[in-house]
Amino acid sequence: MTNHTGAYIAFNNFDYKSICTWPDRTILIPNRDDVYNETLNEFFPRGFYFEIYSKNPDSYFLSPTVPTLEESEKLGYKMLLIYSNCPNHEFERRKYTSNSGFCKHCGLFSLNPFPLRFKCSICSIATEYCKNDDNVYFCEKHRENNISYDNEVFLNNKRYSKRVNIRMLRENIDKKYFCNIENMFELKFEYNLY
Ligand SMILES: [Zn+2]
Ligand SMILES: [Zn+2]
């Protein structure tokens, strides 16, 4: 899996085959967007979209929700081209308080264009990994020093999501709602995709 070329399709519950020439090490996750009809008490597909994790530019974004996966992939690929052709990204935080932001010209979402604003209270490296109830921060290495209710929940969720994702990838079971950016990082490290 480390040497795959073009797009790697993760959680491929639709048995979808990519039709665009993506740069190597792009990850695509096909998703169906369902709407709930209260009267009929049923879910109906509204369309399809992809979660896209691109390496160059380093970004995570969603392709538009449209009637077919093929159409959505093409639109997602167009977005990547717009991002790639932006001559000079200039980032702004918009609603984000962390170090993430968007390019004000092409809209590219980047996870870390800004420096982290907080430091681990133990080793002083810049981190926003987790904090206690008094807003004291801890890095990943020192996360066990964080004694707070929220952190217990957070660590549990992280452990859970990692286990779930590894199992899903191995067994290819339908758990599309577990796909999110945090899981992409788990995938990235677990399978050395980057
Ligand atoms: Zn840009
Ligand atoms: Zn630390």
Side-chain angles (χ1 to χ4, degrees), residues 82-83 86-90 103-108:
I82 291 169
Y83 299 154
C86 179
N88 185 23
H89 298 306
E90 270 185 279
C103 172
K104 55 176 110 158
H105 308 296
C106 69
L108 172 73

Side-chain angles (χ1 to χ4, degrees), residues 26-62:
T26 307
I27 299 176
L28 302 180
I29 298 181
N31 285 281
R32 192 177 74 197
D33 187 20
D34 288 329
V35 271
Y36 179 63
N37 182 310
E38 241 173 86
T39 324
L40 298 169
N41 188 26
E42 252 185 86
F43 284 95
F44 291 94
R46 173 161 46 189
F48 295 86
Y49 66 97
F50 286 90
E51 290 173 84
I52 300 168
Y53 196 104
S54 75
K55 175 68 180 164
N56 189 17
D58 193 5
S59 185
Y60 170 83
F61 57 98
L62 303 182

